[in-house]
Amino acid sequence: MTTEVLRNMLYAGSSTLDGLGYVVMDEVHYLADRFRGAVWEEVILHLSEAVRLSACPPRQQRRGVRRVLVEVRGDTTVVVDEHRPVPLWQHMMVSGRLMDLFADEANNQTLAGW
């Protein structure tokens, strides 16, 4: 879900969040955005301490994001891993035909496999 939806569910006290164990904030770089940053801040502040939080900041924001998380959530560990556990496949539509945007260089095949 989007961060805005999660924030609204937190404010509404949604029972859907009962038992929530993990939140992954993939676009935490929006913390620096003057229009949307407050949404990420609000989620970080209002999540239960029992919820494990993972944030994926861009390289240049890692220290700043860690500092915010330590201040608000306590002990924080930074884990840097350049491997993407879930592949990102990008396609384009050309004349009604779905085509891979990139090819897998390792085995010289397209990534989509369709």
Side-chain angles (χ1 to χ4, degrees), residues 23 66 82 84 91:
V23 169
R66 182 183 184 280
E82 299 298 328
R84 185 179 187 92
H91 309 284

Side-chain angles (χ1 to χ4, degrees), residues 1-11 17 20 22-26 28 31 36-49 51-55 68-69 72-73:
M1 71 182 70
T2 67
T3 306
E4 287 85 356
V5 169
L6 177 57
R7 186 236 2 230
N8 293 345
M9 291 174 76
L10 287 167
Y11 283 158
L17 300 179
L20 179 66
Y22 299 91
V23 169
V24 177
M25 300 182 82
D26 190 37
V28 78
L31 272 170
R36 295 185 70 198
V39 175
W40 272 256
E41 292 172 358
E42 292 167 26
V43 167
I44 291 169
L45 289 169
H46 293 287
L47 277 175
S48 162
E49 289 184 20
V51 175
R52 302 286 307 259
L53 178 64
S54 173
V68 168
L69 292 176
V72 174
R73 310 254 324 156

